[in-house]
Amino acid sequence: VLTTTATQKHIDDAMASLKTWAANATKGLKDGSPRVFLVGRELEVSDDFVLRLAADVDLGYLYNPIRAFYLWNYLAKNHLDNCRWFAKVDADTYVNLPTLSERLRRYFEPDEL
């Protein structure tokens, strides 16, 4: 979840993601580790759920496309070998995880998800 701290509404949207659909992202996983991360350097939440990229600078909502490219670059360079797929959503987006999981099962074996 790419977030910005430009306004209180953006921060509230990010926190709502963590409290709703993202809270269910670890259910059924063997190790229980987070599979949903907020991306932002200035968010005041547990480091377990925040990916703080070294060169990431939150200049507001209009610069999020640049930050998204930076995120994809980071994921490709650092996590390509330990993840089968990645998804990027905005903080004001609700993700139906059961439906996403069902769709992905068409392309991956259950133990690969």
Side-chain angles (χ1 to χ4, degrees):
V1 179
L2 188 59
T3 63
T4 179
T5 54
T7 68
Q8 187 60 47
K9 182 185 179 325
H10 290 107
I11 296 168
D12 292 345
D13 287 346
M15 296 302 105
S17 295
L18 276 183
K19 292 177 184 174
T20 57
W21 64 267
N24 295 317
T26 59
K27 288 184 179 176
L29 298 175
K30 293 177 184 171
D31 62 2
S33 60
R35 295 298 194 257
V36 175
F37 295 95
L38 299 177
V39 178
R41 294 184 50 76
E42 299 180 21
L43 293 169
E44 295 180 12
V45 296
S46 167
D47 282 343
D48 292 340
F49 294 97
V50 178
L51 180 59
R52 301 179 199 278
L53 302 176
D56 183 27
V57 178
D58 185 355
L59 298 174
Y61 180 76
L62 294 178
Y63 293 89
N64 272 356
I66 296 167
R67 295 176 67 219
F69 283 127
Y70 182 57
L71 171 64
W72 287 122
N73 184 52
Y74 168 83
L75 292 173
K77 287 182 177 179
N78 296 284
H79 296 285
L80 197 58
D81 292 336
N82 46 344
C83 293
R84 295 283 297 169
W85 58 275
F86 299 99
K88 181 251 175 227
V89 297
D90 293 330
D92 61 353
T93 302
Y94 180 84
V95 178
N96 185 326
L97 293 172
T99 301
L100 177 61
S101 178
E102 179 182 325
R103 175 59 95 179
L104 289 171
R105 275 192 230 109
R106 295 179 182 190
Y107 306 101
F108 301 104
E109 295 297 324
D111 61 330
E112 295 178 315
L113 295 178

